[in-house]
Amino acid sequence: MNSMYFRQLPSSSSTTGGGLERFLSAAFGLLVWTMLATIGLVFAASLLIWLVVMVMVSLVRSLFTGRPAAVTVLWRRYRELTRQRWPQRAAASSTPRADAAGATGVARPSGVEDVAWRDVAAPTRKDD
């Protein structure tokens, strides 16, 4: 069998370095993280600025062309889709079972009218 000898890499922390090396290492680490965070914030801000600019361009273009702006068209489509998916609820009645049947679409016109419940006293029996 072929035996190969690999040398171990030197450790990243120097045994001869003191507090100054640790301080510089922490400072450069903090500097790198600060730079990355700044780059991320600049990217997010540029996206937000472009969004505002494009919405304004769309609104100004709609003034000249007479067609609705893209934002308006998207908002209308969103509202139509939400109304189809979740229709407006009617005013609640005093019968929760009828409300549930109407909301789920189970209710069919049957000519039977649902009325509010009331307690009925049990009839008294007279034994002669």
Side-chain angles (χ1 to χ4, degrees):
M1 180 161 248
N2 190 4
S3 64
M4 298 185 75
Y5 176 74
F6 295 101
R7 289 188 316 149
Q8 192 173 16
L9 293 174
S11 69
S12 62
S13 64
S14 173
T15 56
T16 60
L20 180 63
E21 185 175 327
R22 284 192 302 250
F23 172 75
L24 287 177
S25 150
F28 281 121
L30 183 63
L31 183 68
V32 167
W33 280 111
T34 304
M35 184 181 69
L36 289 174
T38 304
I39 290 171
L41 287 174
V42 167
F43 178 72
S46 67
L47 284 179
L48 184 64
I49 289 170
W50 271 110
L51 175 68
V52 169
V53 166
M54 294 310 293
V55 166
M56 296 305 290
V57 166
S58 174
L59 291 174
V60 169
R61 187 180 340 174
S62 72
L63 290 175
F64 289 115
T65 61
R67 295 170 43 194
V71 177
T72 307
V73 172
L74 287 175
W75 180 252
R76 286 179 188 163
R77 287 183 186 170
Y78 170 75
R79 292 292 300 238
E80 288 172 9
L81 287 174
T82 55
R83 286 185 180 144
Q84 288 172 2
R85 180 76 174 143
W86 298 286
Q88 296 282 335
R89 293 192 64 182
S93 68
S94 61
T95 55
R97 181 177 284 172
D99 290 342
T104 57
V106 177
R108 295 184 198 140
S110 61
V112 177
E113 184 178 337
D114 196 8
V115 295
W117 65 275
R118 62 183 173 95
D119 289 330
V120 179
T124 57
R125 233 167 108 175
K126 293 183 182 177
D127 289 332
D128 287 327

Short mmCIF file of all heavy atoms in Angstrom, two decimals, residues 20 26 39 62 70 73 77 80 93 102 117 123:
data_model
loop_
_atom_site.label_atom_id
_atom_site.label_comp_id
_atom_site.label_asym_id
_atom_site.label_seq_id
_atom_site.Cartn_x
_atom_site.Cartn_y
_atom_site.Cartn_z
N LEU A 20 -3.35 42.77 20.01
CA LEU A 20 -3.47 43.61 18.83
C LEU A 20 -3.97 42.81 17.63
O LEU A 20 -4.82 43.27 16.87
CB LEU A 20 -2.11 44.25 18.50
CG LEU A 20 -2.10 45.16 17.27
CD1 LEU A 20 -3.02 46.35 17.50
CD2 LEU A 20 -0.68 45.60 16.96
N ALA A 26 -11.00 41.24 14.72
CA ALA A 26 -12.40 41.60 15.02
C ALA A 26 -12.80 42.87 14.25
O ALA A 26 -13.91 42.96 13.74
CB ALA A 26 -12.57 41.82 16.52
N ILE A 39 -24.20 47.28 1.33
CA ILE A 39 -24.52 46.87 -0.04
C ILE A 39 -25.97 46.38 -0.12
O ILE A 39 -26.70 46.71 -1.05
CB ILE A 39 -23.53 45.79 -0.52
CG1 ILE A 39 -22.15 46.40 -0.73
CG2 ILE A 39 -24.01 45.13 -1.80
CD1 ILE A 39 -21.07 45.38 -1.01
N SER A 62 -50.50 57.13 -18.58
CA SER A 62 -51.95 56.93 -18.68
C SER A 62 -52.68 58.25 -18.91
O SER A 62 -53.75 58.28 -19.52
CB SER A 62 -52.48 56.24 -17.42
OG SER A 62 -52.46 57.13 -16.32
N ALA A 70 -51.08 50.74 -15.51
CA ALA A 70 -50.87 49.32 -15.23
C ALA A 70 -51.20 49.00 -13.77
O ALA A 70 -51.75 47.94 -13.46
CB ALA A 70 -49.43 48.93 -15.54
N VAL A 73 -54.95 48.68 -13.53
CA VAL A 73 -55.44 47.44 -14.13
C VAL A 73 -55.15 46.26 -13.20
O VAL A 73 -56.02 45.41 -12.97
CB VAL A 73 -54.78 47.22 -15.51
CG1 VAL A 73 -55.12 45.84 -16.06
CG2 VAL A 73 -55.23 48.30 -16.47
N ARG A 77 -57.95 43.81 -11.36
CA ARG A 77 -57.94 42.35 -11.51
C ARG A 77 -57.84 41.65 -10.15
O ARG A 77 -58.49 40.64 -9.91
CB ARG A 77 -56.77 41.92 -12.40
CG ARG A 77 -57.00 42.25 -13.84
CD ARG A 77 -55.88 41.75 -14.69
NE ARG A 77 -56.04 42.18 -16.07
CZ ARG A 77 -55.12 42.05 -16.98
NH1 ARG A 77 -53.96 41.51 -16.68
NH2 ARG A 77 -55.34 42.47 -18.21
N GLU A 80 -61.24 41.81 -8.48
CA GLU A 80 -62.18 40.87 -9.09
C GLU A 80 -61.90 39.44 -8.64
O GLU A 80 -62.81 38.68 -8.33
CB GLU A 80 -62.10 40.96 -10.61
CG GLU A 80 -62.70 42.22 -11.18
CD GLU A 80 -62.42 42.36 -12.68
OE1 GLU A 80 -61.91 41.40 -13.28
OE2 GLU A 80 -62.71 43.44 -13.22
N SER A 93 -78.21 36.74 9.88
CA SER A 93 -79.58 36.58 10.37
C SER A 93 -79.54 36.00 11.77
O SER A 93 -78.48 35.74 12.32
CB SER A 93 -80.37 35.66 9.43
OG SER A 93 -79.87 34.35 9.51
N GLY A 102 -75.81 29.11 3.57
CA GLY A 102 -75.73 30.07 2.48
C GLY A 102 -74.30 30.40 2.11
O GLY A 102 -73.97 30.58 0.95
N TRP A 117 -85.46 30.24 16.32
CA TRP A 117 -85.90 29.20 17.24
C TRP A 117 -86.54 29.84 18.47
O TRP A 117 -86.27 30.98 18.79
CB TRP A 117 -84.73 28.31 17.64
CG TRP A 117 -83.68 29.04 18.43
CD1 TRP A 117 -82.65 29.75 17.94
CD2 TRP A 117 -83.59 29.13 19.84
NE1 TRP A 117 -81.91 30.29 18.94
CE2 TRP A 117 -82.46 29.92 20.13
CE3 TRP A 117 -84.35 28.64 20.90
CZ2 TRP A 117 -82.08 30.22 21.42
CZ3 TRP A 117 -83.95 28.94 22.20
CH2 TRP A 117 -82.83 29.71 22.43
N PRO A 123 -96.13 19.94 26.82
CA PRO A 123 -97.56 19.90 27.19
C PRO A 123 -97.75 19.14 28.51
O PRO A 123 -97.05 18.17 28.78
CB PRO A 123 -98.21 19.18 26.03
CG PRO A 123 -97.13 18.41 25.36
CD PRO A 123 -95.86 19.15 25.63
#
